[in-house]
Amino acid sequence: MGKIILTGDRPTGRLHIGHYVGSLRRRVELQNSGEYEKILIMIADAQALTDNIENPEKVRQNVIEVALDYMSAGLDPAKSTLFVQSQIAELCELTFYYMDLVTVSRLQRNPTVKSEIQMRNFEASIPVGFFTYPISQAADITAFKATTVPVGEDQLPMLEQAREIVRKFNSVYAPVLVEPEALLPENQACLRLPGTDGKAKMSKSLGNCIYLSDSEKEVKTKIMAMYTDPMHLQVSDPGHLEGNTVFTYLDAFCRPEHFERYMPDHQSLDELKEHYQRGGLGDVKVKKFLLSIIQEALEPIRQRRAEYEKDIPEVYRILKKGSDEAREIAAQTLSEVKAAMKINYFDDEELIKAQALRYQQK
Ligand code: TRP
């Protein structure tokens, strides 16, 4: 059997360049590599609702935003199945059965859930749906027999949980499910791109994100105001790289050919860093270089977005078609799961015959 990709995002906001280098860019490359039998990209609206109970409208609005971001970034509905989690009822059914295979204490140990509980002040009143979302995420992945899940580092505990469920299911019932593997971004800077203010996390509430849908002007303002080295006051001063967001972004975005195009007086990122540390290289020059590189990456995304925005009903049709397709695959897995669990009474002729025989012989 060929390799299958499943991944997705919670629709709680527009996607930013952290999503882009952390996962989206890779997904597009994988999509175009032709190495995968099937690529499924899910908008995880049901999971988003687990900690947005009061905000159904926000989730609803962002389903279309994320769909637009996906397609503008290069996910092509002709090559990848784009779908909406809540439309696949089979995922709920799988989740319910997988719940038998996971203990409460195992869920309590999940580090990502732990820190999310803290961040949301849920300690005293954790919604059960939120607490158990790692199980539902295992259903998302296994319903499609995904072999490969391209995600950020924070999702590794979910992958581990899914793998445990698969092993447990396959050993208790029958080898129906496939153990998935995570695919992490290739370099450290891409694992977690900091905010433009140098804070560890990009977040909408901090206003430190560059969105895929930002205009050229917005991107320029944000990059020129970016956090660098507070000790680097004059061009001649030696600069520091640690915690210097502009250089972290360059690590994530810069390729050798960018020098030729936008900074011909330097040859490589290593050399640029050396010059900065030595002194004599101004922040504005480095920021302008970064700006050119990011605009180059975002321009085609902006153009595609403008096209898709002209026909929003078509975007919904694409999601509907993807969801129908995804549902068929999930239904097939669910029927294998139910057979393995011996809860497939009515489509099992053998069972009916055997029971009949047993009673005839009485
Ligand atoms: N937890 C992911 C996020 O917060 C979204 C998600 C839901 C997901 N189900 C998934 C990711 C399955 C990968 C695979 O963005």
Side-chain angles (χ1 to χ4, degrees):
M1 267 249 299
K3 291 195 287 179
I4 297 172
I5 288 181
L6 178 118
T7 187
D9 301 272
R10 293 182 196 172
T12 53
R14 290 181 289 150
L15 300 183
H16 51 62
I17 61 172
H19 295 112
Y20 183 69
V21 296
S23 172
L24 219 42
R25 181 169 66 180
R26 185 71 165 288
R27 290 180 203 172
V28 176
E29 282 165 18
L30 296 170
Q31 167 194 269
N32 297 333
S33 74
E35 283 172 26
Y36 291 84
E37 183 183 306
K38 190 117 203 102
I39 299 176
L40 298 125
I41 312 285
M42 180 182 77
I43 302 182
D45 61 337
Q47 188 177 109
L49 285 169
T50 64
D51 67 335
N52 283 283
I53 322 136
E54 267 98 56
N55 282 317
E57 192 54 40
K58 171 172 121 184
V59 173
R60 184 188 183 84
Q61 292 298 328
N62 282 307
V63 167
I64 189 76
E65 292 293 343
V66 170
L68 286 166
D69 285 333
Y70 279 168
M71 294 198 293
S72 338
L75 289 173
D76 175 354
K79 296 182 186 157
S80 298
T81 305
L82 309 179
F83 71 100
V84 184
Q85 186 185 28
S86 60
Q87 304 309 298
I88 319 298
E90 286 77 3
L91 297 177
C92 298
E93 248 183 285
L94 286 173
T95 303
F96 187 68
Y97 297 130
Y98 293 171
M99 283 183 173
D100 299 338
L101 307 174
V102 181
T103 63
V104 170
S105 68
R106 176 65 185 85
L107 283 175
Q108 279 166 335
R109 278 202 313 272
N110 185 309
T112 302
V113 175
K114 260 195 200 164
S115 74
E116 283 176 308
I117 286 173
Q118 261 175 10
M119 258 160 41
R120 289 164 180 70
N121 291 321
F122 271 168
E123 280 98 341
S125 56
I126 310 169
V128 173
F130 180 78
F131 183 61
T132 54
Y133 91 73
I135 305 179
S136 123
Q137 190 155 334
D140 301 337
I141 296 167
T142 55
F144 306 98
K145 300 196 173 166
T147 54
T148 313
V149 185
V151 279
E153 203 179 21
D154 63 322
Q155 296 297 306
L156 287 180
M158 308 305 153
L159 260 291
E160 202 38 54
Q161 179 74 80
R163 292 161 63 89
E164 281 173 34
I165 289 174
V166 169
R167 288 197 288 265
K168 183 96 186 187
F169 186 97
N170 288 350
S171 79
V172 171
Y173 299 115
V176 168
L177 303 177
V178 174
E179 242 185 90
E181 262 171 51
L183 198 60
L184 290 176
E186 57 284 355
N187 83 40
Q188 200 58 35
C190 297
L191 272 180
R192 179 154 290 190
L193 203 67
T196 51
D197 56 358
K199 295 228 170 68
K201 210 171 147 60
M202 279 203 191
S203 103
K204 185 159 66 184
S205 52
L206 293 173
N208 61 359
C209 311
I210 295 174
Y211 293 100
L212 294 180
S213 49
D214 276 348
S215 69
E216 218 175 315
K217 204 165 145 239
E218 285 166 315
V219 174
K220 182 169 183 193
T221 310
K222 288 177 185 178
I223 289 187
M224 295 320 281
M226 249 168 104
Y227 181 82
T228 58
D229 170 14
M231 310 294 280
H232 190 233
L233 299 174
Q234 292 186 352
V235 174
S236 57
D237 290 340
H240 297 87
L241 301 176
E242 309 80 68
N244 190 320
T245 320
V246 175
F247 280 95
T248 311
Y249 278 34
L250 282 175
D251 282 331
F253 279 94
C254 181
R255 292 191 309 270
E257 65 265 29
H258 289 140
F259 283 93
E260 225 171 285
R261 235 172 285 164
Y262 306 120
M263 202 187 257
D265 60 344
H266 287 76
Q267 273 76 55
S268 71
L269 192 50
D270 284 340
E271 191 224 327
L272 189 75
K273 287 176 178 175
E274 217 173 273
H275 189 180
Y276 189 78
Q277 288 173 296
R278 197 166 66 230
L281 179 60
D283 281 343
V284 171
K285 179 162 173 171
V286 188
K287 281 180 176 175
K288 281 190 173 155
F289 180 49
L290 175 65
L291 179 63
S292 307
I293 295 173
I294 293 204
Q295 299 289 30
E296 181 189 291
L298 293 186
E299 189 46 36
I301 298 180
R302 264 183 222 121
Q303 280 176 12
R304 273 192 295 264
R305 199 179 224 274
E307 284 307 306
Y308 283 118
E309 282 176 358
K310 285 185 201 153
D311 193 357
I312 294 295
E314 174 61 12
V315 179
Y316 280 106
R317 277 193 292 274
I318 289 169
L319 292 179
K320 164 89 167 61
K321 183 159 168 282
S323 300
D324 290 344
E325 240 178 82
R327 191 154 189 196
E328 252 176 63
I329 304 172
Q332 173 58 36
T333 305
L334 179 64
S335 95
E336 292 167 31
V337 160
K338 289 173 87 169
M341 293 179 74
K342 305 200 173 292
I343 51 175
N344 59 332
Y345 311 106
F346 312 130
D347 57 4
D348 188 348
E349 303 261 334
E350 290 301 311
L351 166 77
I352 298 169
K353 256 193 255 159
Q355 294 292 2
L357 201 62
R358 200 159 66 84
Y359 279 93
Q360 273 164 23
Q361 285 166 351
K362 252 196 184 168

